[in-house]
Amino acid sequence: MGIRWLLAALAISLVGSGPLRADLKRAQAETNLEKRSQLAMDNAAAQYQAARAAYDKGDTGQTAAAIAEIVESVDLADTSLRQTGKDPRKSSKWFKKAEMETRDLVRKLESFQQMMGYDDRPLLDKVKARVQQVHDDLLLGIMEGKHK
């Protein structure tokens, strides 16, 4: 019974992966900026999974494409939240959600980088740095004191 569930989950994940840029385009088409940021972060998480799967298969081209889309997705989430014009301290729901998801993504990327072969590790250096920068900016916006 356990194998059936595993095979079903694998089939669903393969069917759901589709073209790489499909979910990012859907996120870009969203008019609600907060929801756009959430869709972009969901896409970043999906692309992380795609990058790991592609790396496990030995497909470096698809790994690099998925990694590049992670950065695009995180940047889209960040710019979408900034475009709302809302104060992260006063309406922190979406900002905090994005901050937690970027924190988790940085941890996952670090784990993925440690799992990679030594020669492949530099592939994730810039990605980790960018996601960490977005995380730090979000956290600073939420935790920053009153402006004087």
Side-chain angles (χ1 to χ4, degrees):
M1 181 105 172
I3 292 178
R4 285 186 196 168
W5 285 105
L6 180 64
L7 290 175
L10 180 63
I12 290 171
S13 69
L14 290 175
V15 170
S17 64
L20 281 179
R21 303 195 59 81
D23 287 334
L24 189 58
K25 288 186 187 276
R26 188 178 69 147
Q28 290 169 335
E30 177 63 49
T31 56
N32 183 324
L33 294 171
E34 287 103 347
K35 289 182 182 177
R36 180 187 300 169
S37 73
Q38 182 60 47
L39 289 172
M41 289 307 302
D42 290 345
N43 186 57
Q47 291 309 312
Y48 164 76
Q49 293 296 333
R52 284 202 65 142
Y55 185 80
D56 289 342
K57 291 179 187 174
D59 188 352
T60 56
Q62 195 170 9
T63 302
I67 288 171
E69 191 164 336
I70 290 171
V71 174
E72 289 179 46
S73 298
V74 170
D75 284 341
L76 178 62
D78 185 41
T79 55
S80 296
L81 286 173
R82 295 197 188 292
Q83 287 175 353
T84 62
K86 293 182 179 178
D87 185 358
R89 289 167 288 164
K90 292 184 180 174
S91 59
S92 63
K93 175 184 176 182
W94 297 101
F95 291 90
K96 184 63 181 174
K97 204 171 205 180
E99 182 269 326
M100 290 187 312
E101 290 179 9
T102 54
R103 180 188 61 209
D104 290 342
L105 186 58
V106 167
R107 289 180 182 165
K108 288 177 182 178
L109 288 170
E110 287 173 352
S111 173
F112 182 31
Q113 190 176 35
Q114 293 301 316
M115 187 217 51
M116 294 175 104
Y118 183 75
D119 294 337
D120 297 330
R121 289 180 184 176
L123 220 111
L124 289 178
D125 286 339
K126 290 182 181 177
V127 177
K128 276 185 6 184
R130 179 63 188 140
V131 175
Q132 184 67 52
Q133 180 62 46
V134 169
H135 170 263
D136 293 346
D137 292 345
L138 288 167
L139 186 61
L140 184 65
I142 294 168
M143 301 302 289
E144 191 173 52
K146 290 185 178 180
H147 291 285
K148 293 183 180 182

